Amino acid sequence: MSFQSAPVSIRMSWIRKFLVMAFAVINVASFAQNPITHVVFIVKENHSFDNLFGTFPLANGATQGLCGSNKVQLAKPPIPPPNVTHEWGAAHIAINSGAMNGFCWADKKSPYQPYVQYQQADLPNYWTYASTFELADNMFSSLEGASFGNHLYLAAATSNQFISNPPSPGAGVSWGCDAPPGTKAKRYVEGRIIGTFPCIDSMTLSDLLDAQDFTWHYYAGEEHSSGYLWSIFDSIPHIRYGDEWATNVSPPEQFASDVAAGKLDNFTWVMPRFAESEHAPSGLCPGENWSISIINAIMRSPYWSTTAIFLAWDDWGGYYDHVPPPSVDYFGLGIRVPLIIISPYAKPGIIHTQYEFASVLKFAERTFGLPTLTQRDAEANDLMDAFDFGQTPLPPLILKPRKCPAAPAPSAKDLEDDD
């Protein structure tokens, strides 16, 4: 019996079988078992997508900005780069209800400081990672504001309603539970903005991991050292005053030795010290070299075959970006930031799916079979579409650091982030 002469019911049955088989072949990668058992979240400071990758081929970038109705060419950043205003109010002025033309009004120091852009030669190793692995060009910070609230989203999928950084007297002083008495940061609570000591408990991804016997670690500057303000578990009392503060929170220099000793946890946050953070006035070069050292440590280890690395920047740093952030709630999303996805199973190229910091938490929740924390991670895209677990694994890519000029020391104002 030929296909043409078969009864309609039989022909439909054959067609259905063919489509099922074809669907299975086409989608075999998406149904392949997830081999990831280690997630590493590296977070740098203060750059928008257009500021770093606006000229990346095929990415949604821009080389011109808007100041009101006037076009402004994005220029090469000065050395050292300026610390551009990037707090809650500045974000709203810059976004200007989605027009993305208020960056020149947001910065009180100089209207054109936000309109700068790096080129491939300024960040050659980041460019290599993005070209070899995967660059997300629709990744947004979680809060329309600066570092403190966004770092809370990195761990808890919420800012605990904080919308500003606490004031910082200088290097080595914490933003969290160890902040000086009387320290307050702005919080939006029941329709009004109040000042609150930056030490409020909430459930975090670490708690979900603990409950299912998965391991975690947080690497950041220790107390009285540069970078301690980004040690966000210092703002979560049950971690700061619990047993895990001594066992699960360590200086960033310990990361490579831990990996070499076979101690990479299931989920790891890695935060730089100030000099390697890329926060102005520090340049990109020292920060890029530091990032390479963290990634090389993983790539040189047996963990490479089971690891997903997410390299992101915590906020836009005041720099221009042309894509209006989606409005998901009162707090965000914030202005677009770069995200590089590095893994043997990352799909090489550009991915355009909308992500935020809670997306990385959602990826971990899906990978380890955990519940969600808040509405943010429950509704965030989970980054699974950035991976092909059925592809031939990508090999490790060991990069070399480059020689950098001496970086200027940060001032207290640089560390404060806020105006």
Side-chain angles (χ1 to χ4, degrees), residues 226-227 230 272-279 282-287 290 407-408 410:
S226 172
W230 298 313
R273 296 190 184 277
F274 189 92
E276 294 84 29
S277 69
E278 297 157 38
H279 188 304
S282 297
L284 287 180
C285 184
W290 178 87

Side-chain angles (χ1 to χ4, degrees), residues 133-255:
F133 298 100
E134 193 166 14
L135 178 66
D137 68 355
N138 207 22
M139 169 73 172
F140 296 87
S141 53
S142 291
L143 176 78
E144 291 186 15
S147 292
F148 182 62
N150 273 307
H151 278 251
L152 284 167
Y153 273 101
L154 300 175
T158 176
S159 69
N160 279 337
Q161 299 169 292
F162 283 105
I163 61 171
S164 78
N165 293 344
S168 178
V173 177
S174 172
W175 277 344
C177 300
D178 293 327
T183 298
K184 292 183 179 180
K186 296 175 184 176
R187 273 178 88 224
Y188 180 80
V189 180
E190 297 180 351
R192 61 193 186 100
I193 295 175
I194 63 174
T196 304
F197 188 71
C199 178
I200 296 179
D201 234 336
S202 64
M203 184 175 288
T204 73
L205 182 65
S206 69
D207 300 302
L208 303 183
L209 293 163
D210 285 340
Q212 297 293 332
D213 294 324
F214 291 103
T215 61
W216 64 274
H217 214 100
Y218 195 97
Y219 294 89
E222 67 275 30
E223 191 172 6
H224 306 306
S225 73
S226 172
Y228 187 50
L229 74 174
W230 298 313
S231 188
I232 204 61
F233 280 109
D234 177 45
S235 302
I236 309 296
H238 75 272
I239 301 293
R240 177 62 185 92
Y241 301 121
D243 294 339
E244 289 181 310
W245 182 255
T247 58
N248 293 47
V249 181
S250 304
E253 292 80 10
Q254 190 175 315
F255 177 82

Side-chain angles (χ1 to χ4, degrees), residues 4-354:
Q4 288 82 1
S5 63
V8 172
S9 61
I10 294 177
R11 280 188 281 169
M12 291 304 297
S13 176
W14 287 345
I15 291 171
R16 281 194 293 268
K17 289 179 181 179
F18 173 78
L19 290 175
V20 168
M21 292 174 64
F23 182 81
V25 170
I26 292 169
N27 291 278
V28 66
S30 64
F31 292 123
Q33 184 176 0
N34 183 349
I36 300 299
T37 55
H38 303 89
V39 179
V40 179
F41 199 1
I42 304 168
V43 183
K44 311 307 293 285
E45 290 292 309
N46 295 24
H47 290 280
S48 71
F49 187 91
D50 280 340
N51 178 243
L52 292 189
F53 289 103
T55 62
F56 195 88
L58 303 180
N60 182 12
T63 56
Q64 285 186 332
L66 288 174
C67 174
S69 60
N70 297 321
K71 293 182 178 180
V72 181
Q73 188 69 32
L74 302 185
K76 185 176 179 64
I79 300 175
N83 184 22
V84 184
T85 301
H86 53 282
E87 38 74 39
W88 173 262
H92 288 77
I93 294 170
I95 294 168
N96 193 22
S97 301
M100 307 304 287
N101 64 355
F103 292 79
C104 54
W105 305 323
D107 190 83
K108 303 180 182 68
K109 307 182 194 78
S110 170
Y112 295 106
Q113 282 186 335
Y115 299 89
V116 294
Q117 184 171 72
Y118 293 91
Q119 304 296 318
Q120 180 178 358
D122 301 313
L123 55 156
N125 287 320
Y126 284 152
W127 206 273
T128 297
Y129 284 139
S131 301
T132 306
F133 298 100
E134 193 166 14
L135 178 66
D137 68 355
N138 207 22
M139 169 73 172
F140 296 87
S141 53
S142 291
L143 176 78
E144 291 186 15
S147 292
F148 182 62
N150 273 307
H151 278 251
L152 284 167
Y153 273 101
L154 300 175
T158 176
S159 69
N160 279 337
Q161 299 169 292
F162 283 105
I163 61 171
S164 78
N165 293 344
S168 178
V173 177
S174 172
W175 277 344
C177 300
D178 293 327
T183 298
K184 292 183 179 180
K186 296 175 184 176
R187 273 178 88 224
Y188 180 80
V189 180
E190 297 180 351
R192 61 193 186 100
I193 295 175
I194 63 174
T196 304
F197 188 71
C199 178
I200 296 179
D201 234 336
S202 64
M203 184 175 288
T204 73
L205 182 65
S206 69
D207 300 302
L208 303 183
L209 293 163
D210 285 340
Q212 297 293 332
D213 294 324
F214 291 103
T215 61
W216 64 274
H217 214 100
Y218 195 97
Y219 294 89
E222 67 275 30
E223 191 172 6
H224 306 306
S225 73
S226 172
Y228 187 50
L229 74 174
W230 298 313
S231 188
I232 204 61
F233 280 109
D234 177 45
S235 302
I236 309 296
H238 75 272
I239 301 293
R240 177 62 185 92
Y241 301 121
D243 294 339
E244 289 181 310
W245 182 255
T247 58
N248 293 47
V249 181
S250 304
E253 292 80 10
Q254 190 175 315
F255 177 82
S257 59
D258 280 352
V259 171
K263 299 177 182 177
L264 182 63
D265 291 276
N266 296 119
F267 194 99
T268 303
W269 294 265
V270 192
M271 307 294 156
R273 296 190 184 277
F274 189 92
E276 294 84 29
S277 69
E278 297 157 38
H279 188 304
S282 297
L284 287 180
C285 184
E288 187 185 59
N289 285 349
W290 178 87
S291 300
I292 287 170
S293 71
I294 299 298
I295 296 167
N296 280 350
I298 299 167
M299 290 185 168
R300 288 190 172 112
S301 78
Y303 293 116
W304 169 245
S305 63
T306 58
T307 299
I309 302 169
F310 298 101
L311 172 62
W313 282 256
D314 77 332
D315 64 57
W316 87 110
Y319 299 117
Y320 180 79
D321 193 82
H322 78 282
V323 177
S327 180
V328 301
D329 57 31
Y330 178 82
F331 301 96
L333 298 176
I335 293 171
R336 195 173 59 144
V337 295
L339 170 67
I340 304 175
I341 303 158
I342 302 171
S343 173
Y345 311 101
K347 297 177 183 177
I350 308 292
I351 189 162
H352 306 295
T353 306
Q354 178 182 306

